[in-house]
Amino acid sequence: MTTTKHQQLRSALESGRFQTAMAAHNPLAAVLAEEAGFDAIWGSGFELSASFAVPDANILSMGQHLDMMRAIAQRTSIPLIADIDTGFGNAINVSYVIPQYEAAGASAIVMEDKSFPKDTSLRSDGRQELVRIEEFQGKIAAACAARHDPNFVVVGRVEALIAGLGQEEALRRAEAYAEAGADAILIHSKQKTPDEIVEFINGWSGKVPLVLVPTAYPQLTEQAIRDLKKVGIVIYGNHAIRAAVQAMRSVFAQIRADGGIQNVNAALPTVKDILDLQGDAAMRKLESEFLR
């Protein structure tokens, strides 16, 4: 029997097999992430918002994010973890949202315990307002009840450290969300060192695996995370869009400085490289079979 992407992700979490996920804001970025050897794709709301040049504050609609997740899932063979922010509303909304993401090809969702509309966790002075624990437990339970495939993974994201509420509140919320049915807990921090996260991990019961996003504390390597034992997935949350911005800025600036493409052209991927990423070979095969 063929193993589904849902089963791949759940099996890894339940067996303790460490997984890496790279952010993507479109199918091309996702294809490149799979090509590089990542285990999963992070369907990043931050990256998608950035690609539209709007704030990561629920400005884009659920439909826009859902359509991109569907497009990414269709072009990759590894699990897709969809970032659904706060679930686009209350527990009732979540009940309708989950089947749509599952049908679109996502193998997991991550939902955070902030109020709607959210503000990005990455802003130094962001508006970090959390909902009541009981309310978010209801949203987690609704997400679990709404999935059709029991292998579909529901991850509860705890923002207590981001909001400055401390370890005790973060652990209290994480335990409550696991009790409500979350298959994993994403714990987030914007401290420049991993100390806060390590303290949380050391205090965690291990009831379900943890998920980390080490954007602010890059010195915490994959090996160091493995050594902490309780972490199932590490997500590189915004590196695709940052790499794209850096590359485009550099190339665009050189073209303007040089007055043409004579100096940048040789350093760029060839047009054939791009055609290959677009699936040109598969299209040629279809032409040979069906264009008579």
Side-chain angles (χ1 to χ4, degrees), residues 186-234:
L186 191 158
I187 182 64
H188 207 15
S189 170
K190 58 186 175 185
Q191 296 297 312
K192 301 304 182 187
T193 69
D195 299 355
E196 186 176 55
I197 285 294
V198 172
E199 182 182 349
F200 178 92
I201 294 170
N202 288 336
W204 174 237
S205 65
K207 191 172 297 182
V208 297
L210 296 176
V211 180
L212 300 189
V213 189
T215 303
Y217 45 95
Q219 63 271 45
L220 193 65
T221 65
E222 288 179 15
Q223 187 55 57
I225 294 170
R226 288 174 191 267
D227 292 343
L228 292 168
K229 304 297 185 184
K230 299 174 185 177
V231 179
I233 303 173
V234 61

